[in-house]
Coordinates of all heavy atoms in Angstrom, one line a residue:
K1232 N 18.0 18.4 9.3 CA 16.7 18.0 9.8 C 15.6 18.1 8.8 O 14.8 17.2 8.8 CB 16.5 19.0 11.0 CG 17.2 18.8 12.2 CD 16.8 19.8 13.3 CE 17.7 19.7 14.5 NZ 17.4 20.7 15.5
D1233 N 15.6 19.0 7.9 CA 14.6 19.2 6.9 C 14.8 17.9 5.9 O 13.7 17.3 5.6 CB 14.8 20.5 6.0 CG 14.2 21.7 6.8 OD1 13.5 21.4 7.9 OD2 14.5 22.8 6.4
A1234 N 15.9 17.6 5.6 CA 16.2 16.4 4.7 C 15.7 15.2 5.4 O 15.0 14.3 4.7 CB 17.6 16.3 4.3
E1235 N 16.0 15.0 6.6 CA 15.5 13.8 7.4 C 14.1 13.7 7.5 O 13.4 12.8 7.3 CB 16.2 13.9 8.8 CG 17.6 13.5 8.8 CD 18.2 13.7 10.2 OE1 17.6 14.1 11.2 OE2 19.5 13.3 10.4
K1236 N 13.5 14.9 7.7 CA 11.9 15.0 7.8 C 11.4 14.6 6.4 O 10.4 13.8 6.3 CB 11.6 16.3 8.2 CG 10.1 16.6 8.6 CD 9.9 17.9 9.0 CE 8.5 18.2 9.4 NZ 8.2 19.5 9.8
T1237 N 11.9 15.2 5.3 CA 11.5 14.8 4.0 C 11.7 13.3 3.7 O 10.7 12.6 3.1 CB 12.2 15.6 2.9 OG1 12.1 17.0 3.2 CG2 11.7 15.4 1.6
V1238 N 12.8 12.7 4.1 CA 13.1 11.3 3.9 C 12.0 10.5 4.6 O 11.4 9.6 4.2 CB 14.5 10.9 4.2 CG1 14.7 9.4 4.3 CG2 15.4 11.5 3.2
K1239 N 11.8 10.9 6.0 CA 10.8 10.3 6.8 C 9.4 10.2 6.1 O 8.7 9.3 6.1 CB 10.7 10.8 8.2 CG 10.0 10.0 9.1 CD 10.2 10.6 10.5 CE 9.4 9.6 11.6 NZ 9.6 10.0 12.9
I1240 N 9.0 11.4 5.7 CA 7.7 11.7 5.1 C 7.5 10.7 3.7 O 6.6 10.1 3.6 CB 7.3 13.1 4.7 CG1 7.2 13.9 6.0 CG2 6.2 13.2 3.8 CD1 7.1 15.4 5.8
A1241 N 8.6 10.8 3.0 CA 8.7 9.9 1.8 C 8.5 8.5 2.1 O 7.9 7.7 1.4 CB 10.0 10.2 1.0
E1242 N 9.3 8.0 3.2 CA 9.2 6.7 3.6 C 7.9 6.3 4.1 O 7.3 5.1 3.8 CB 10.2 6.5 4.8 CG 11.6 6.3 4.4 CD 12.6 6.2 5.4 OE1 12.2 6.4 6.6 OE2 13.9 5.9 5.2
E1243 N 7.2 7.1 4.8 CA 5.8 6.9 5.2 C 4.8 6.7 4.0 O 4.0 5.7 4.0 CB 5.3 8.0 6.2 CG 5.9 8.0 7.4 CD 5.6 9.3 8.3 OE1 4.8 10.2 7.9 OE2 6.1 9.4 9.5
K1244 N 5.0 7.7 3.1 CA 4.2 7.6 1.8 C 4.4 6.4 1.0 O 3.4 5.7 0.6 CB 4.3 8.9 1.1 CG 3.9 10.2 1.7 CD 3.4 11.2 0.7 CE 3.0 12.3 1.4 NZ 1.6 12.7 1.4
I1245 N 5.7 6.0 1.0 CA 6.0 4.7 0.3 C 5.4 3.6 1.0 O 4.8 2.6 0.4 CB 7.5 4.5 0.1 CG1 8.1 5.6 -0.9 CG2 7.9 3.2 -0.2 CD1 9.6 5.7 -1.0
G1246 N 5.4 3.6 2.3 CA 4.9 2.5 3.1 C 3.3 2.4 2.9 O 2.7 1.4 2.8
E1247 N 2.7 3.7 2.9 CA 1.2 3.9 2.7 C 0.9 3.2 1.3 O -0.1 2.4 1.2 CB 0.7 5.1 2.8 CG 0.8 5.7 4.3 CD 0.4 7.2 4.3 OE1 0.1 7.8 3.3 OE2 0.6 7.8 5.4
A1248 N 1.7 3.6 0.3 CA 1.4 3.2 -1.1 C 1.6 1.6 -1.2 O 0.9 1.0 -1.8 CB 2.4 3.9 -2.1
A1249 N 2.6 1.1 -0.5 CA 2.9 -0.3 -0.6 C 1.8 -1.0 0.2 O 1.2 -2.1 -0.3 CB 4.2 -0.7 0.2
N1250 N 1.2 -0.5 1.3 CA 0.1 -1.1 2.0 C -1.1 -1.0 1.1 O -1.9 -2.1 1.0 CB -0.2 -0.3 3.2 CG 0.9 -0.7 4.3 OD1 1.5 -1.7 4.2 ND2 0.9 0.3 5.4
K1251 N -1.4 0.1 0.4 CA -2.5 0.1 -0.5 C -2.4 -0.9 -1.7 O -3.3 -1.5 -2.1 CB -2.6 1.6 -1.0 CG -3.9 1.8 -1.5 CD -4.2 3.4 -1.7 CE -5.6 3.7 -1.4 NZ -5.8 5.2 -1.1
A1252 N -1.2 -0.8 -2.3 CA -1.0 -1.9 -3.3 C -1.2 -3.3 -2.8 O -1.8 -4.2 -3.5 CB 0.4 -1.8 -3.9
G1253 N -0.7 -3.6 -1.5 CA -1.0 -4.9 -1.0 C -2.5 -5.2 -0.9 O -3.0 -6.3 -1.1
E1254 N -3.3 -4.1 -0.3 CA -4.6 -4.4 -0.2 C -5.3 -4.6 -1.6 O -6.1 -5.5 -1.7 CB -5.2 -3.0 0.4 CG -5.0 -3.0 1.9 CD -5.4 -1.5 2.5 OE1 -6.4 -1.0 1.9 OE2 -5.0 -1.2 3.5
L1255 N -4.9 -3.8 -2.6 CA -5.4 -3.9 -3.9 C -5.2 -5.2 -4.6 O -6.0 -6.0 -5.2 CB -5.0 -2.9 -5.0 CG -5.6 -1.4 -4.5 CD1 -4.8 -0.5 -5.5 CD2 -7.0 -1.4 -4.7
A1256 N -4.0 -5.7 -4.3 CA -3.5 -7.1 -4.7 C -4.4 -8.2 -4.2 O -4.7 -9.2 -4.7 CB -2.1 -7.3 -4.5
G1257 N -4.5 -8.0 -2.7 CA -5.4 -8.9 -2.1 C -6.8 -8.9 -2.6 O -7.4 -10.1 -2.8
K1258 N -7.3 -7.8 -2.8 CA -8.6 -7.7 -3.4 C -8.8 -8.4 -4.8 O -9.7 -9.0 -5.1 CB -9.1 -6.2 -3.5 CG -9.6 -5.7 -2.0 CD -10.0 -4.3 -2.2 CE -10.3 -3.7 -0.9 NZ -10.7 -2.2 -1.0
A1259 N -7.8 -8.0 -5.6 CA -7.6 -8.7 -7.0 C -7.7 -10.3 -6.9 O -8.3 -11.0 -7.6 CB -6.5 -8.2 -7.7
E1260 N -6.9 -10.7 -6.0 CA -6.8 -12.2 -5.7 C -8.0 -12.8 -5.2 O -8.5 -13.7 -5.6 CB -5.6 -12.5 -4.6 CG -5.3 -13.9 -4.4 CD -4.2 -14.2 -3.6 OE1 -3.5 -13.3 -3.1 OE2 -3.9 -15.4 -3.3
D1261 N -8.6 -12.0 -4.3 CA -10.1 -12.5 -3.8 C -11.0 -12.5 -5.1 O -11.7 -13.6 -5.2 CB -10.6 -11.5 -2.9 CG -9.8 -11.6 -1.5 OD1 -9.0 -12.6 -1.3 OD2 -10.0 -10.7 -0.7
K1262 N -11.0 -11.5 -5.9 CA -11.9 -11.5 -7.0 C -11.5 -12.5 -8.1 O -12.5 -13.3 -8.5 CB -11.8 -10.1 -7.8 CG -12.4 -9.0 -7.0 CD -13.9 -9.1 -7.0 CE -14.4 -7.9 -6.2 NZ -15.9 -7.9 -6.0
A1263 N -10.3 -12.9 -8.2 CA -9.8 -14.0 -9.1 C -10.3 -15.3 -8.5 O -10.8 -16.2 -9.3 CB -8.3 -14.0 -9.3
N1264 N -10.1 -15.5 -7.2 CA -10.6 -16.7 -6.6 C -12.1 -16.9 -6.7 O -12.6 -17.9 -6.9 CB -10.2 -16.7 -5.1 CG -8.7 -16.9 -5.0 OD1 -8.0 -17.4 -5.9 ND2 -8.1 -16.6 -3.8
E1265 N -12.8 -15.9 -6.5 CA -14.4 -15.8 -6.7 C -14.7 -16.3 -8.1 O -15.6 -17.1 -8.2 CB -14.9 -14.4 -6.3 CG -14.9 -14.1 -4.8 CD -15.5 -12.6 -4.6 OE1 -16.3 -12.2 -5.5 OE2 -15.1 -12.1 -3.6
A1266 N -14.0 -15.5 -9.1 CA -14.3 -15.9 -10.5 C -13.9 -17.4 -10.7 O -14.8 -18.1 -11.3 CB -13.6 -15.1 -11.3
A1267 N -12.8 -18.0 -10.2 CA -12.5 -19.2 -10.5 C -13.5 -20.2 -9.7 O -13.9 -21.3 -10.3 CB -11.1 -19.5 -9.8
Q1268 N -14.0 -19.9 -8.5 CA -14.9 -20.7 -7.9 C -16.3 -20.7 -8.6 O -16.8 -21.8 -8.8 CB -15.2 -20.2 -6.5 CG -16.1 -21.1 -5.7 CD -16.3 -20.6 -4.2 OE1 -15.6 -19.6 -3.8 NE2 -17.2 -21.2 -3.5
M1269 N -16.6 -19.5 -9.2 CA -17.9 -19.4 -10.0 C -17.8 -20.3 -11.2 O -18.7 -21.0 -11.6 CB -18.0 -18.0 -10.3 CG -19.5 -17.8 -10.9 SD -19.9 -16.0 -11.4 CE -19.1 -15.0 -10.2

């Protein structure tokens, strides 16, 4: 149960990190598009 709980927490943290990375990538893409438009 402890191992399953740790795996579940790790999966949640990986999911959060992936979401955050996706957000940052989206922001970077937005900034690049703004710069290109400018």
Side-chain angles (χ1 to χ4, degrees):
K1232 286 180 185 176
D1233 285 345
E1235 287 173 356
K1236 190 175 182 180
T1237 303
V1238 167
K1239 189 173 183 178
I1240 291 170
E1242 286 174 346
E1243 288 173 2
K1244 294 212 182 244
I1245 289 171
E1247 289 172 11
N1250 288 340
K1251 199 166 217 166
E1254 288 174 22
L1255 291 174
K1258 287 180 182 177
E1260 186 178 351
D1261 290 346
K1262 291 290 183 186
N1264 289 339
E1265 285 176 28
Q1268 184 177 358
M1269 193 181 320

